[in-house]
Amino acid sequence: MAVEPEHASVNGRKKPQRPQRTHREVADELRARIRSGALRPGQRMPTQAQLAAEFGVERQAVRGALRILQSEHLLTNVSKGAPATVADRADRVPAGPAAPPQPTTVALAPRIASAFEAEHVEIDAVCLTAVSLTLAIGEPLRQIHAGRLKPAKVDVRVLLPSRNIDLAFPVPVGGRQGDEDPVHERWLAQRNAQGQVLRHNLRALRATHGIDVRVTFRALPFTPPVKLYLLNNAEALFAYYTVTRTEALIGQESLPTYDAQGVRSMLFAFEQGTGLRDATFVEQSQLWFNALWETISSELELTD
């Protein structure tokens, strides 16, 4: 009996079928190409038929992926009849006077990934624990390991509160009781852990990709009421730490505290080249950071 072509086998065994990618997986790959610059702002995308053939999926999956990227404002002109277009400045979060603030978790990662397109990357940060910075730097690290980015040099400087000061926040609502301060110890452990992860991940680029990396921390004698990120002397990203009453889990107990959730802070973006207001803010922010770094800050060891 003849064997039907769709059931043809090799050595009597049915050839395994490779599972098709989902529309979200296709969107992830196309998003990465846009973020890395492989697809530039204003560039026409391949046709839906070409994308379907490349990814081995049905056109419906391609259309779903394109709609996702359109909802993220990365693509325009998404329709059945013509190829979509990469949105202008799709690789950047909008800056300038008309740009709306966005949560740190949304705005920071794409801007830092864009900063890593430079040959010499310079990042300065003032923050409470470096949680947001450590999370955001994960995106350019993935792109470096994937071969999409290759800076020659990376310099990162971070200002964090000193372990020896009385923090304004986080603090217990009822105040400190005696010499023990579990809220302070919890903050200190988080500050040290995040700093160590950030330093380790960046320094690993030297061994894996031959990138010249320098990561330095210094301690501030005060609790910063704001967070600030300076990228390549060209951008300043600024957010307020808004203190609220919350519950901190200390061991098995829930302790009322005053604290600020930095990852949720609304980030305002300022950029050189978008007007005098923004250029002046970037320049003054860099001067402020350098003054703190060179005067009242001190050496910081990320140890208990």
Side-chain angles (χ1 to χ4, degrees), residues 143-265:
Q143 295 191 28
I144 289 172
H145 293 311
R148 300 189 186 101
L149 293 175
K150 183 62 188 296
K153 186 176 182 181
V154 176
D155 282 314
V156 176
R157 301 187 299 174
V158 184
L159 286 169
L160 296 166
S162 168
R163 62 171 296 166
N164 299 319
I165 65 173
D166 291 332
L167 288 174
F169 58 90
V171 291
V173 169
R176 299 176 179 86
Q177 303 297 325
D179 295 333
E180 292 189 2
D181 188 347
V183 174
H184 184 92
E185 293 303 316
R186 180 174 177 265
W187 162 82
L188 180 62
Q190 186 178 49
R191 185 206 71 172
N192 290 344
Q194 293 297 323
Q196 289 167 2
V197 169
L198 178 66
R199 182 173 59 190
H200 171 79
N201 290 345
L202 285 168
R203 285 182 175 178
L205 296 176
R206 183 188 301 272
T208 57
H209 293 83
I211 299 173
D212 183 10
V213 176
R214 181 173 58 182
V215 186
T216 314
F217 298 88
R218 288 185 68 80
L220 289 171
F222 61 88
T223 308
V226 299
K227 59 196 310 186
L228 176 70
Y229 307 98
L230 301 165
L231 312 180
N232 294 342
N233 297 295
E235 295 181 74
L237 308 175
F238 170 91
Y240 293 102
Y241 281 119
T242 302
V243 179
T244 60
R245 179 171 175 146
T246 185
E247 298 289 325
L249 186 62
I250 308 294
Q252 300 298 319
E253 297 184 6
S254 183
L255 182 65
T257 63
Y258 291 123
D259 200 358
Q261 297 296 320
V263 294
R264 301 176 187 172
S265 299

